Amino acid sequence: MKTEDLKHALGAGLLSFPVTHFDAQGRFNAKSYAEHVNWLSGFEAATLFAAGGTGEFFSLTPDEIPEIVRVAKDAAGDTPIVSGCGYGTEIAVSIAKSVEKAGADGILLLPHYLIDAPQEGLYRHIKAVCDATGMGVMVYNRDNLVLQADTLARLCDACPNLVGFKDGTGDIGLVRQITAKMGDRLTYLGGMPTAELFAEAYLAAGFTTYSSAVFNFVPGLAIEFYKALRAGERAKCETILIDFFYPFMTIRNRAKGYAVAAIKAGVRLQGFDAGPVRSPLQDLSAEETEMMEKLIGDNRRR
């Protein structure tokens, strides 16, 4: 996919990150994963991200990621597939090259590992990854990879294939400065955990869209909320927030890592053999799984 086509696709609608399916031995379960991605691609997601944060990128080996991308591409039909990418510069460059060969349409560059870095170091890191691939690249601003507006502007000048900026900092002042400075040079993606809770504020700050984790198991509801948000139907958005998203937030906040584990529980409850989360995460308790089941309610997959 050409970089401009990917930039357009990213801004064309709701985005999501399928969970990565594992079997009982913790190995990638390609069959179940393909069934799940195929189901999701039947809804109105503009792009799906394979091996992203909700897909437990942090627990995957670099060798597993291209295979996950290949399976996603085969299962997703016409829906573009963007791959997760990250860690230190050399590993990130290697992943970018391998997923390009596997057929990915682009990459999302997640924060590097552990150590904070100065703006010049972040610039060189992101530029090296962009230079290593012909695919479109999105950068994920959060944790120990937080770009300032001037650094991002330099990258936009140096890297024609840098097409997207995803924010997970919640710093509306910073992101508004970035959208004002960069204008339509980038597509802007909301990336806070349970992004629907912040979607209205990000839309007002100039963001184009956001990634929905709950799309993994209630895609119809996720699309309904997205359409209501874009149509300015505030009362409908508030009803869905109160009935679904705030109760989901309560479950998600019961333990660290449940932003992923609760999503995977929802996928299992919808009948997919997604398997457990990988260590160091842990799965929901039986009580919490029952809470999730009640929350899904009428949104059961038929």
Side-chain angles (χ1 to χ4, degrees):
M1 177 174 279
K2 294 179 180 179
T3 55
E4 280 301 309
D5 292 338
L6 178 62
K7 179 184 174 184
H8 174 76
L10 290 168
L14 189 63
L15 314 173
S16 191
F17 290 69
V19 299
T20 303
H21 295 217
F22 302 121
D23 63 20
Q25 287 73 46
R27 299 168 300 199
F28 174 51
N29 184 342
K31 181 177 182 295
S32 179
Y33 181 70
E35 291 171 353
H36 184 218
V37 170
N38 182 257
W39 179 60
L40 295 178
S41 69
F43 293 85
E44 298 176 54
T47 303
L48 294 175
F49 290 70
T54 306
E56 297 181 70
F57 173 85
F58 46 84
S59 76
L60 301 171
T61 68
D63 290 341
E64 289 177 305
I65 296 169
E67 175 62 15
I68 292 167
V69 168
R70 276 191 288 269
V71 173
K73 280 293 294 180
D74 288 343
D78 295 332
T79 304
I81 296 293
V82 170
S83 174
C85 183
Y87 300 113
T89 305
E90 294 304 315
I91 296 175
V93 164
S94 175
I95 291 172
K97 291 178 177 179
S98 69
V99 298
E100 185 169 20
K101 290 178 182 177
D105 295 299
I107 60 170
L108 174 68
L109 185 57
L110 286 86
H112 57 277
Y113 175 71
L114 187 61
I115 301 298
D116 288 330
Q119 291 294 297
E120 181 62 25
L122 296 179
Y123 171 85
R124 293 179 183 179
H125 171 67
I126 295 165
K127 186 175 185 300
V129 175
C130 289
D131 288 347
T133 177
M135 296 183 296
V137 177
M138 286 131 280
V139 64
Y140 196 176
N141 221 49
R142 66 178 291 175
D143 299 324
N144 56 339
L145 198 166
V146 177
L147 294 168
Q148 299 302 311
D150 288 346
T151 307
L152 185 58
R154 288 177 62 204
L155 285 163
C156 286
D157 289 341
C159 306
N161 60 331
L162 180 63
V163 299
F165 175 85
K166 182 179 182 182
D167 184 74
T169 67
D171 185 343
I172 294 295
L174 173 61
V175 300
R176 187 65 189 98
Q177 182 184 4
I178 285 169
T179 57
K181 189 177 184 69
M182 254 58 70
D184 61 4
R185 170 62 181 81
L186 300 170
T187 295
Y188 303 99
L189 321 174
M192 294 291 287
T194 316
E196 286 85 355
L197 301 175
F198 306 90
E200 189 174 22
Y202 271 84
L203 196 63
F207 272 53
T208 315
T209 186
Y210 59 87
S211 57
S212 173
V214 304
F215 184 89
N216 265 280
F217 64 96
V218 285
L221 182 66
I223 292 292
E224 183 182 359
F225 180 86
Y226 174 80
K227 287 184 174 180
L229 177 74
R230 296 311 300 258
E233 297 175 357
R234 191 169 189 180
K236 186 172 184 178
C237 288
E238 289 176 349
T239 296
I240 299 173
L241 285 168
I242 291 167
D243 291 347
F244 181 87
F245 284 105
Y246 291 136
F248 175 76
M249 180 182 67
T250 298
I251 299 170
R252 184 201 70 189
N253 289 347
R254 287 171 68 98
K256 291 184 181 296
Y258 273 15
V260 174
I263 298 299
K264 187 165 260 190
V267 174
R268 290 194 300 267
L269 286 166
Q270 289 286 35
F272 294 99
D273 189 16
V277 293
R278 276 183 175 174
S279 176
L281 299 185
Q282 67 176 25
D283 286 303
L284 273 59
S285 67
E287 176 191 2
E288 291 160 344
T289 300
E290 185 177 348
M291 293 168 66
M292 283 291 297
E293 187 169 18
K294 290 179 180 177
L295 182 61
I296 292 171
D298 294 337
N299 294 290
R300 275 283 185 188
R301 181 169 71 113
R302 299 291 184 257

